[in-house]
Amino acid sequence: MSEPRPEAPSHRWYQSAIFYELYVRAFRDSNGDGHGDLRGVIEKLDYLQELGVECIWLPPIYQSPLFDDGYDISDYYVIHPDYGTEADFEQVIVEAHARGMRVITDLVLNHTSDQHPWFLESRSSRTSPKRDWYVWSDTDVRYIDTRIIFLDVETSNWTYDEATEQYYWHRFYTSQPDLNYDNPEVQDAMKAVMQYWLEKGIDGFRVDAVPYLYEREGTNCENLTETHDYSKQLRTMLDDRWPDAIMLAEANQPPADVREYFGDGDEFHMAFHFPLMPRIFMALELEEVRPILEALERTPAIPDGTGWCTFLRNHDELTLEMVTEEERQWMWSVYAPEPRMRLNLGIRRRLAPLLGGNPRRIMLANRILFSLPGSPILYYGDEIGMGDDIDLPDRHGVRTPMQWSDGLNAGFSEAHPADLYLPVINDDTFGIARVNVASQQTDSDSLFQQMKRLIALVKQHRPYLTGSVAFLNGFDPSVLAVRRTSEAGDLVALHNLSARPLAFDLPAPIGGMTPIDYPESGGRLESSRAELDPYGSLFFLRS
Ligand code: GLC
């Protein structure tokens, strides 16, 4: 059954949908080879529907040596055999649509794998017709103002290629050479990739690493005008033929720079809100709302028809690129006390361990996210409070098998445990005995059931959550008071970020509103006196 779409005709589906990032390799293995696959995703669509998911984002599922877990594509037109076939993928789309869910996939524009035939040809000789498809140079001192992103591994954005005695440019791993977008053939090749998958029925793309498409001397090679021009061309193509499909920008940049990716409403439909995410964690740790308010005060207005995508965690490290050096050191000291919990400029841990495994804090974080503007994205497994495995390298510790049950391999796979792509989490706190879908589905107090009810509540009040946002003053510094205003009326959410119970008289403007019946959020109203449990919230409405 599909959920009712929001009423306001100007409101587009992606501006308030519940998104869910699902790692195909990690979700469900249907054929017992130890790797999750697309047929496994189909098996679990009912689960996602039960949770209330409206749009699934699949990280790359294409042919790849998997050195960067699929973000190193060696053929954009072939589904990785571990994941299944093109027919399986088409079936995922059909089955998801039948359940009222949309499907977006990653579009990795900036680079390919060094195993891609384009690159093999490009590196074969300086005169290869594909030479200019990548960025080659006689020296490694061009574009020296460009930062290195995978700081823990890479020492330069250039790698020397002995065969042809030139360097090639890469913003990520050495094995991910950047495509040269100054070459019109490259521009066309990637448009063709998009068209191919749109024809198969997908609902859009999460566009990977957008800011880095072009290089120009004397700049930091990020957010260049040329990158925006090309993105607009992609948007025009979508608008002409697939007007309901979206492009979601992964641009980990300061607010003013991200703002540019919305253009005049003619570039990206959506962009991740990177600056907000770490500030939610800061606010939770400090028990003070200030960091969240500051992040939103610095958020520029965005054009009609566009929207933010908000998140707490994803498949990468919790990036701290958008905070100051001092804030980063503090975040590391509280959230990544062990050096191996850190990666590049971030923290490679999952939501539940970050919040001390405390379901009240996890639900508070989600209620905050859901009451702010934007469409929230959940990361698979966080809805049941899955843990991480910091013994695994890189970002693998947050990409372990989904924990469906306390049975063999957490119900993820029938393979021999030694054959799993990664081991299941098995520690005392977050291991499969304590954290799994099956037991949470039958326990009405579980995190899963609470998430499900929160999502249902949000959908029920969606018309109130699509308008503007304001923050109300005059509360304890631990109370985040969010007011959303739309044609439907006002919705106010009060969130207690602290470990203390709080009681206070409601100011007159809220006092006249009707509380939403949501006792498990940890808030009560006694005449005009509000009581908030530690980490509790209260919601009010006025139509
Ligand atoms: C994006 C992805 C990340 C990947 C990188 C290079 O940041 O989220 O997982 O490693 O791009 O493609």
Side-chain angles (χ1 to χ4, degrees):
M1 247 183 16
S2 66
E3 293 295 330
R5 299 276 166 230
E7 284 99 69
S10 60
H11 188 79
R12 309 275 314 269
W13 68 268
Y14 51 83
Q15 290 177 290
S16 57
I18 309 288
F19 285 72
Y20 186 95
E21 180 187 5
L22 182 166
Y23 237 96
V24 173
R25 194 147 76 117
F27 210 54
R28 163 76 189 145
D29 168 17
S30 74
N31 62 0
D33 67 356
H35 299 260
D37 48 48
L38 292 161
R39 298 230 137 255
V41 173
I42 296 170
E43 282 179 32
K44 298 299 183 183
L45 287 174
D46 288 342
Y47 166 80
L48 297 175
Q49 191 185 20
E50 181 188 347
L51 181 60
V53 170
E54 295 169 294
C55 183
I56 304 166
W57 154 29
L58 305 179
I61 49 176
Y62 309 107
Q63 188 66 269
S64 161
L66 300 180
F67 187 75
D68 186 13
D69 227 347
Y71 282 94
D72 46 336
I73 296 175
S74 55
D75 191 333
Y76 288 85
Y77 294 99
V78 175
I79 301 288
H80 195 290
D82 285 353
Y83 301 149
T85 63
E86 189 168 310
D88 294 339
F89 183 44
E90 289 180 71
Q91 196 61 23
V92 168
I93 299 168
V94 168
E95 299 272 351
H97 286 175
R99 291 168 177 78
M101 290 186 268
R102 292 180 159 93
V103 180
I104 65 170
T105 62
D106 249 282
L107 178 71
V108 184
L109 289 178
N110 180 65
H111 48 267
T112 68
S113 159
D114 61 359
Q115 306 300 309
H116 197 296
W118 297 340
F119 187 68
L120 296 177
E121 205 178 319
S122 181
R123 86 188 315 179
S124 66
S125 88
R126 289 198 188 195
T127 54
S128 148
K130 290 253 174 356
R131 185 66 171 180
D132 189 48
W133 279 45
Y134 293 84
V135 182
W136 292 96
S137 163
D138 288 330
T139 86
D140 62 354
V141 290
R142 287 170 73 201
Y143 313 137
I144 50 166
D145 297 328
T146 309
R147 70 191 165 118
I148 296 168
I149 297 171
F150 285 164
L151 272 176
D152 287 1
V153 176
E154 299 295 340
T155 52
S156 169
N157 288 319
W158 292 107
T159 289
Y160 188 64
D161 193 50
E162 294 213 344
T164 54
E165 299 179 319
Q166 277 192 319
Y167 297 84
Y168 65 87
W169 178 251
H170 53 88
R171 292 305 305 273
F172 295 93
Y173 287 125
T174 302
S175 56
Q176 290 165 300
D178 275 34
L179 285 162
N180 174 19
Y181 276 87
D182 278 320
N183 185 328
E185 288 173 6
V186 169
Q187 298 179 16
D188 290 347
M190 296 313 296
K191 287 180 189 167
V193 167
M194 290 176 77
Q195 289 172 8
Y196 184 83
W197 294 110
L198 287 161
E199 294 282 359
K200 302 279 168 207
I202 63 166
D203 299 292
F205 302 96
R206 178 259 192 198
V207 188
D208 184 65
V210 189
Y212 320 121
L213 300 190
Y214 285 81
E215 299 74 35
R216 290 290 178 266
E217 207 54 76
T219 74
N220 66 357
C221 297
E222 302 190 3
N223 312 318
L224 299 179
T225 311
E226 292 82 352
T227 296
H228 289 291
D229 290 345
Y230 182 63
S231 304
K232 284 181 183 160
Q233 290 178 31
L234 304 182
R235 172 62 183 266
T236 304
M237 185 179 86
L238 250 64
D239 284 351
D240 286 350
R241 291 182 56 193
W242 297 278
D244 222 22
I246 59 162
M247 303 195 309
L248 159 60
E250 189 218 14
N252 189 354
Q253 300 286 325
D257 292 321
V258 181
R259 161 68 190 83
E260 295 306 308
Y261 287 92
F262 295 111
D264 295 322
D266 57 353
E267 201 174 324
F268 283 86
H269 302 78
M270 304 187 81
F272 289 110
H273 203 316
F274 278 100
L276 173 65
M277 179 275 297
R279 291 186 170 80
I280 295 178
F281 287 95
M282 269 183 215
L284 290 171
E285 179 64 26
L286 292 167
E287 304 193 353
E288 257 179 42
V289 302
R290 187 181 39 83
I292 295 177
L293 299 188
E294 284 173 2
L296 290 163
E297 274 160 15
R298 283 186 224 135
T299 301
I302 57 175
D304 285 347
T306 63
W308 293 107
C309 206
T310 55
F311 61 104
L312 295 168
R313 289 295 294 113
N314 62 23
H315 66 287
D316 287 325
E317 67 273 29
L318 187 167
T319 154
L320 298 174
E321 280 168 75
M322 289 303 118
V323 302
T324 64
E325 177 60 31
E326 197 185 337
E327 289 169 329
R328 187 178 307 134
Q329 294 298 336
W330 178 82
M331 283 286 284
W332 270 333
S333 70
V334 298
Y335 283 117
E338 290 185 45
R340 65 197 181 128
M341 294 172 170
R342 304 173 191 177
L343 179 71
N344 302 317
L345 290 183
I347 299 172
R348 49 191 210 101
R349 302 182 70 194
R350 264 192 184 265
L351 179 65
L354 283 166
L355 298 184
N358 181 337
R360 288 199 197 187
R361 294 183 79 205
I362 296 170
M363 286 311 299
L364 171 66
N366 279 294
R367 287 195 302 268
I368 291 174
L369 196 74
F370 281 67
S371 56
L372 295 176
S375 298
I377 278 212
L378 310 176
Y379 183 50
Y380 88 91
D382 282 349
E383 75 276 20
I384 56 168
M386 260 173 65
D388 48 48
D389 184 347
I390 52 172
D391 289 335
L392 297 172
D394 202 345
R395 291 148 292 175
H396 297 314
V398 301
R399 301 176 181 177
T400 60
M402 178 71 175
Q403 294 171 199
W404 295 106
S405 74
D406 62 1
L408 174 72
N409 300 323
F412 159 72
S413 169
E414 280 77 55
H416 187 284
D419 293 334
L420 297 191
Y421 77 97
L422 286 177
V424 297
I425 302 274
N426 228 342
D427 61 44
D428 292 343
T429 320
F430 299 104
I432 60 174
R434 294 190 58 177
V435 177
N436 69 73
V437 170
S439 63
Q440 295 201 17
Q441 275 176 321
T442 55
D443 171 3
S444 68
D445 294 333
S446 67
L447 198 60
F448 171 77
Q449 296 290 359
Q450 290 191 53
M451 283 300 294
K452 190 173 139 179
R453 288 191 288 265
L454 173 61
I455 291 171
L457 186 98
V458 162
K459 288 184 181 172
Q460 188 189 342
H461 297 98
R462 186 162 273 163
Y464 295 89
L465 288 164
T466 52
S468 62
V469 65
F471 297 95
L472 308 177
N473 301 317
F475 293 89
D476 184 286
S478 296
V479 175
L480 181 67
V482 187
R483 187 179 68 213
R484 306 295 307 276
T485 303
S486 68
E487 279 170 25
D490 286 353
L491 183 149
V492 168
L494 302 179
H495 304 292
N496 176 10
L497 273 61
S498 80
R500 297 164 291 138
L502 294 174
F504 47 89
D505 289 325
L506 284 180
I510 309 180
M513 297 177 73
T514 312
I516 294 180
D517 184 22
Y518 183 22
E520 74 183 24
S521 67
R524 280 165 308 283
L525 193 65
E526 303 290 342
S527 69
S528 68
R529 200 158 171 79
E531 290 180 6
L532 293 175
D533 293 341
Y535 314 120
S537 306
L538 252 176
F539 291 82
F540 302 85
L541 275 190
R542 180 172 24 230
S543 299

